[in-house]
Amino acid sequence: MKFLILPGDGIGPEIVASAVDVLQAADRRFGLNVTLDHEDVGFVSLKKHGTTLRDEVLEKARGCDGVILGTQSHADYPAPEKGGRNISAAFRVLLDLYANVRPARTREFLPSNMRPGKRMDLVIMREATEGFYPDRNMTRGWGEMMPSPDMAISVRKITRHCSERIARRAFELAMTRRKKVTAIHKANSFHMTDGLFLECARKVAKDFPEVAFEDMLVDASTAHLVRNPERFDVLVAENFYGDILSDMASELSGSLGLAGSVMAGDDLCCAQAQHGSAPDIANQDKANPTSMILSVAMLLEWIGDKRGNAAFSAAGQAMHAAVETVLANPETRTADIGGRIGTKAFSQAVVAALAR
């Protein structure tokens, strides 16, 4: 198995290094036989090659078994014509990593931002290749335009193909969990685009009679996430809604830094932390690597499931369990969740728990 390691910007190199340390510990324990290849992306690549993402890196990723992608400061990149490519968008669109899988759950031993007595354990299945994002909804050109200095127009693309396949992934996931899917939409206003998305979700639901299905307006879903988060199991949403709801859910659960995330297609999966690059704490050993470590664990489980490889599935589950063990101990938490240890010490504690 060959993984491509892309450290990225800000705290990316630190949390990726931590996740790789844990991955290598899992490799030793479960005999995964993973080899690692490293490439530069982001500002390091921009300085060296004049672009934040070279085409050669995308091609190399296409030939790998998995990718570990660090955080990116893409809001600070120069314009695309000056080399500032959005790395995540390029991976999602050009490698067809259409499913952005984002779990969020509370832990009894950690404080959350939920209402007293409320618990959360859900997964947001976000379509990642189309929607309102202007860099991925046109064959040529850009999905936003300004006909005049005082007018801006944005175009959204929703297709039957992308809507049906993300809905199918959501129902397949629900079959392994509590067997409930909620389709998020705003079809009462966006009759055609969200209407098509909802039509596709309802069609796929007929293939999964064991799964309870409901649809919910996106604005109502935000209220229910706060008031009744326990009603949700798997939420499926188009790109824009899924992006917002996943950040909200993770923050409610305690922190954006506590949940893993993958970008998955039919043949390739990329581990990517849910949070941003936090350049203000870069290179200070302050970052919480939990999200990145759990993202790599999700990558291993994805490979185990897709390829019927029990060792990878077991390794991913063991990484999850080791992180839980470390988080449960107040002495082995990072500062952002009330602890006192740094990035390296946290990953070392996870490695030790994994070895046990």
Side-chain angles (χ1 to χ4, degrees), residues 102 126 133 238-248:
R102 294 187 163 189
R126 169 195 175 198
Y133 291 77
E238 62 85 50
N239 207 342
F240 189 52
Y241 303 153
D243 194 7
I244 294 171
L245 289 177
S246 59
D247 277 12
M248 179 182 178

Side-chain angles (χ1 to χ4, degrees), residues 284-310:
Q284 298 177 42
D285 195 43
K286 291 182 178 180
N288 183 348
T290 296
S291 182
M292 192 74 251
I293 295 170
L294 292 179
S295 299
V296 173
M298 291 175 65
L299 167 61
L300 297 186
E301 291 177 314
W302 183 91
I303 292 174
D305 179 61
K306 280 286 184 178
R307 304 190 181 185
N309 191 318

Side-chain angles (χ1 to χ4, degrees), residues 81-353:
E81 62 270 19
K82 295 182 180 180
R85 295 180 75 179
N86 184 319
I87 301 164
S88 293
F91 268 79
R92 290 166 180 168
V93 175
L94 299 178
L95 300 183
D96 204 25
L97 303 182
Y98 60 87
N100 188 197
V101 187
R102 294 187 163 189
R105 65 184 180 88
T106 53
R107 295 166 170 89
E108 292 183 0
F109 50 80
L110 285 178
S112 75
N113 295 311
M114 306 293 299
R115 297 170 67 202
K118 293 295 181 178
R119 293 288 180 264
M120 174 189 294
D121 183 2
L122 57 83
V123 179
I124 294 175
M125 187 71 73
R126 169 195 175 198
E127 204 293 320
T129 62
E130 55 181 25
F132 261 127
Y133 291 77
D135 57 356
R136 65 199 81 173
N137 63 10
M138 305 287 280
T139 298
R140 297 180 63 184
W142 194 253
E144 285 194 320
M145 60 210 81
M146 292 189 72
S148 76
D150 301 314
M151 177 189 295
I153 299 173
S154 185
V155 176
R156 179 169 68 156
K157 177 182 72 174
I158 299 291
T159 65
R160 187 176 302 277
H161 168 67
C162 291
S163 298
E164 286 190 358
R165 68 179 179 177
I166 195 64
R168 192 163 299 276
R169 299 295 87 78
F171 278 91
E172 290 169 351
L173 178 61
M175 286 291 293
T176 70
R177 291 173 49 87
R178 301 196 307 277
K179 296 185 179 180
K180 182 177 182 181
V181 169
T182 305
I184 304 300
H185 65 94
K186 190 68 176 172
N188 61 334
S189 296
F190 295 98
H191 305 292
M192 297 181 187
T193 48
D194 276 11
L196 177 59
F197 180 86
L198 181 56
E199 174 191 330
C200 293
R202 287 172 172 167
K203 176 185 176 182
V204 173
K206 295 178 181 178
D207 295 335
F208 296 85
E210 308 96 323
V211 177
F213 174 71
E214 66 175 354
D215 66 86
M216 186 177 293
L217 296 175
V218 62
D219 44 342
S221 72
T222 61
H224 282 290
L225 271 174
V226 174
R227 188 184 308 129
N228 303 304
E230 61 275 5
R231 72 174 290 161
F232 295 116
D233 180 24
V234 177
L235 296 84
V236 60
E238 62 85 50
N239 207 342
F240 189 52
Y241 303 153
D243 194 7
I244 294 171
L245 289 177
S246 59
D247 277 12
M248 179 182 178
S250 293
E251 189 61 30
L252 284 171
S253 72
S255 169
L256 277 172
L258 292 175
S261 171
V262 294
M263 303 185 295
D266 292 332
D267 303 306
L268 181 66
C269 184
C270 174
Q272 182 186 37
Q274 283 201 27
H275 54 75
S277 61
D280 56 316
I281 60 168
N283 303 312
Q284 298 177 42
D285 195 43
K286 291 182 178 180
N288 183 348
T290 296
S291 182
M292 192 74 251
I293 295 170
L294 292 179
S295 299
V296 173
M298 291 175 65
L299 167 61
L300 297 186
E301 291 177 314
W302 183 91
I303 292 174
D305 179 61
K306 280 286 184 178
R307 304 190 181 185
N309 191 318
F312 273 76
S313 296
Q317 292 164 11
M319 285 178 62
H320 276 286
V323 169
E324 295 302 303
T325 297
V326 173
L327 289 175
N329 182 356
E331 298 301 317
T332 52
R333 296 175 187 166
T334 48
D336 60 307
I337 50 174
R340 292 178 293 180
I341 68 172
T343 311
K344 293 179 181 177
F346 183 89
S347 59
Q348 290 168 358
V350 176
V351 167

